[in-house]
Amino acid sequence: MEYSFLIACAVIVLINLAIFTFRGFGKGLVRLITLAIAVVAAYLVSRMVMPLVLHSGIRGIEGLVISHFPETEAILSDPMVAEVFSKLVQMLLLPALFCLLYTIFCPISMILYRIGCHLVPRRLDRSGQPRVSHWGGLLMGCGVAFLSLMVYIMPLYGYVEVAHTAIATMEAHASEEMDTTTLDEFNDNYLRPVLETPLVTPLYKSLGEPVFASLSTVMWDGELTHLMLETDTVAAIAGDVQRLLSKKPVDYEEAEAAAIEDIAACVEHSPMLRTILAEVLSGAAEAWQSDEAFAGMERPDMGENGNGILNAFVEVFSTTTTANIGGDFNTFAEVLSLGVKYDLMEMLSGGQGEEFATVIASTGFLSEAKLALNRNPRMAPVTRAITDVGMRLLVSELGVPDEYKDTCSELMNEMSATLQQTAVNEDGTLNTDDLEARLDGVMDAHGVDVNDATVKLIAHGMADQFTAAELQTMTTEEIVDQLIARFGTVEVPTP
């Protein structure tokens, strides 16, 4: 196929060589100049006309997408996502529009050519040496042929290269559930041969590719991005998305954790994906907070043990924007990976609360998760949700927090005193190991039936609630009030 394409290009070149060898150097030069003017005009006018094309046609394109993929309606209704979609269409169509306008301007440029032919050739050919003029015409014919070829080859090669790269990337990142056989065959039989065409491909790489890159580049969110980057990024995560959708979150394993990490890495490089992911996450979170579906996706059920942590992530994602999506999604990916690493995922929908608390507190999950979460201050609700696993068990044991001053006032007072007596780290935070040991004694003294893991989580939750400096200025009653208020935020499942 590559040789067929090369032969077609060669025929076009030979025709132009024959025409302008006969016409001579003067007319050849005029035609080359007028075609160059047509190229520049097409380039400039295509950029000016593109907004008008999008304004009149983008709704129809969106409607076409929604008709084939109804679940995208909720996503495309978001103004920011709609704007991204419009920019993607611009990057995709602008090279073709440039080629179309050049085709229109070519006949118009003949007017300039006719005028120029009456003014220029006699001065250039007055030496009376036709052979010199014919050799000059041959040279101008080469210029005309290569210029016209480059205009038409540029979008063709550009689109083929984008598609070829995207398919190759999709194949490299394909999940076990994704069948890429048809795409691979299309790539091997049709796309790759075009890109391997001798002579023409190097010409495109040197002259056409920069023009295609310029036409398929837009400014988004303060960054320049181009069609190749965005399509390649989407292709890279296609397999990851399919892998994640093929399982329930509670069944995620190492492969799914790796898929989320891949998506997080891709977000760092793609400004448009950042916007789409930020809007989708915030839109889904807002819908789920209202117990509504988003784009056909119901809120995942993470089970009795996991719903509290999921709710915390939903709370964070409801305020996610393009400015913080990178940090939010990276932290989410880190915590999920830790959950898989320490076998927490399989305990989300089953297992007793104390067993879940034991896995969190007795493995490296708690310390590693808090390290990741503390790097992102927005993740405070998630940190609180993790320690709530222990708080929930204590509340289940003690009863309604609003009644603690009546039912267990001595316990509350001793917990308050314990906080004030706890050792302080160099950074001003409470030493959780010391607080845990002290709380363990208090719980035993009052016959509170909770295990060591639960006490550890409670100690971390209390240490996160107070700083050493403010504890020294608070009265026992004030500390007790804050403790009761903290316990009151814990959601305890109804038996």
Side-chain angles (χ1 to χ4, degrees):
M1 180 178 175
E2 62 267 29
Y3 290 103
S4 300
F5 190 65
L6 177 61
I7 290 171
C9 293
V11 169
I12 295 174
V13 172
L14 289 174
I15 291 174
N16 278 277
L17 290 180
I19 291 174
F20 288 100
T21 298
F22 174 75
R23 290 183 179 180
F25 174 73
K27 292 182 179 179
L29 177 61
V30 173
R31 188 58 184 144
L32 182 61
I33 292 173
T34 55
L35 285 179
I37 292 173
V39 170
V40 173
Y43 183 89
L44 297 176
V45 174
S46 63
R47 289 188 169 278
M48 295 169 58
V49 171
M50 195 67 222
L52 299 177
V53 173
L54 290 175
H55 181 73
S56 59
I58 193 65
R59 294 292 172 258
I61 298 174
E62 287 179 0
L64 184 64
V65 172
I66 291 172
S67 66
H68 287 83
F69 307 98
E71 63 275 7
T72 62
E73 183 173 6
I75 298 174
L76 288 174
S77 64
D78 184 280
M80 290 296 289
V81 175
E83 184 64 22
V84 169
F85 183 74
S86 177
K87 290 292 185 182
L88 285 170
V89 172
Q90 175 181 327
M91 290 192 293
L92 188 63
L93 295 185
L94 194 54
L97 180 61
F98 163 73
C99 187
L100 175 63
L101 289 174
Y102 173 78
T103 303
I104 295 173
F105 290 157
C106 271
I108 298 175
S109 69
M110 288 297 295
I111 299 174
L112 297 176
Y113 171 68
R114 296 296 182 188
I115 296 172
C117 284
H118 290 290
L119 300 176
V120 177
R122 290 183 180 178
R123 295 181 181 178
L124 294 177
D125 297 333
R126 62 188 174 188
S127 60
Q129 298 180 9
R131 183 175 297 176
V132 174
S133 179
H134 290 326
W135 279 110
L138 181 68
L139 181 62
M140 291 301 102
C142 285
V144 169
F146 282 118
L147 182 63
S148 297
L149 273 177
M150 195 46 54
V151 171
Y152 291 109
I153 287 174
M154 179 272 297
L156 171 64
Y157 259 69
Y159 291 138
V160 168
E161 187 174 33
V162 167
H164 166 73
T165 304
I167 292 174
T169 300
M170 189 179 297
E171 181 182 8
H173 292 80
S175 63
E176 296 175 358
E177 299 80 5
M178 180 177 288
D179 183 8
T180 61
T181 304
T182 303
L183 287 175
D184 294 342
E185 291 177 354
F186 179 77
N187 202 11
D188 292 337
N189 295 333
Y190 299 100
L191 302 183
R192 186 175 288 110
V194 172
L195 296 176
E196 293 175 352
T197 303
L199 299 179
V200 181
T201 298
L203 184 65
Y204 165 75
K205 287 290 186 180
S206 59
L207 299 176
E209 191 171 56
V211 178
F212 184 86
S214 174
L215 289 169
S216 59
T217 295
V218 298
M219 179 69 73
W220 184 258
D221 198 26
E223 296 181 44
L224 284 174
T225 186
H226 51 88
L227 184 62
M228 179 74 78
L229 170 65
E230 298 298 338
T231 53
D232 195 48
T233 302
V234 171
I237 68 171
D240 295 326
V241 172
Q242 185 170 19
R243 184 187 298 278
L244 294 174
L245 294 177
S246 67
K247 282 187 176 183
K248 294 180 179 180
V250 292
D251 296 326
Y252 282 179
E253 298 176 343
E254 290 184 6
E256 287 70 37
I260 291 180
E261 289 177 348
D262 287 342
I263 295 174
C266 288
V267 168
E268 296 293 330
H269 301 102
S270 169
M272 287 189 167
L273 181 59
R274 279 202 299 272
T275 299
I276 293 173
L277 187 58
E279 295 301 314
V280 168
L281 282 178
S282 61
E286 290 175 3
W288 293 343
Q289 284 179 323
S290 303
D291 293 325
E292 298 175 357
F294 177 80
M297 296 182 294
E298 298 286 347
R299 178 188 176 281
D301 183 9
M302 302 293 284
E304 179 180 322
N305 291 326
N307 279 333
I309 297 174
L310 173 64
N311 290 339
F313 274 115
V314 167
E315 179 185 343
V316 174
F317 287 144
S318 67
T319 59
T320 293
T321 65
T322 54
N324 51 42
I325 178 62
D328 287 357
F329 202 73
N330 270 316
T331 306
F332 172 71
E334 284 188 71
V335 174
L336 182 69
S337 294
L338 290 172
V340 171
K341 175 182 176 181
Y342 291 108
D343 299 323
L344 278 179
M345 305 304 292
E346 61 189 36
M347 299 190 65
L348 291 177
S349 58
Q352 299 298 315
E354 284 195 351
E355 294 176 357
F356 189 57
T358 298
V359 174
I360 290 177
S362 63
T363 65
F365 176 83
L366 181 62
S367 58
E368 292 181 43
K370 286 192 69 175
L371 188 64
L373 293 165
N374 289 340
R375 287 196 295 266
N376 184 353
R378 287 174 43 78
M379 289 292 166
V382 181
T383 304
R384 187 168 58 247
I386 292 173
T387 57
D388 274 357
V389 173
M391 296 279 192
R392 188 178 300 114
L393 293 170
L394 179 62
V395 172
S396 297
E397 178 74 12
L398 297 180
V400 181
D402 289 344
E403 300 174 358
Y404 285 177
K405 285 188 177 181
D406 297 324
T407 58
C408 51
S409 59
E410 289 187 12
L411 173 63
M412 291 294 108
N413 288 334
E414 287 194 37
M415 290 178 71
S416 171
T418 297
L419 278 168
Q420 291 180 312
Q421 296 164 5
T422 298
V424 180
N425 297 319
E426 292 182 0
D427 60 0
T429 59
L430 297 179
N431 186 299
T432 53
D433 290 336
D434 183 50
L435 179 57
E436 178 187 350
R438 292 174 181 274
L439 280 177
D440 192 44
V442 171
M443 298 296 175
D444 287 342
H446 287 268
V448 180
D449 186 19
V450 291
N451 64 9
D452 292 342
T454 299
V455 174
K456 183 173 185 176
L457 289 172
I458 294 170
H460 278 266
M462 290 171 61
D464 292 336
Q465 180 77 11
F466 301 94
T467 65
E470 66 184 3
L471 282 172
Q472 300 308 314
T473 63
M474 296 175 69
T475 63
T476 298
E477 185 176 357
E478 289 174 335
I479 297 174
V480 168
D481 287 340
Q482 283 205 26
L483 281 175
I484 293 175
R486 175 68 178 86
F487 291 132
T489 64
V490 177
E491 295 182 10
V492 180
T494 304

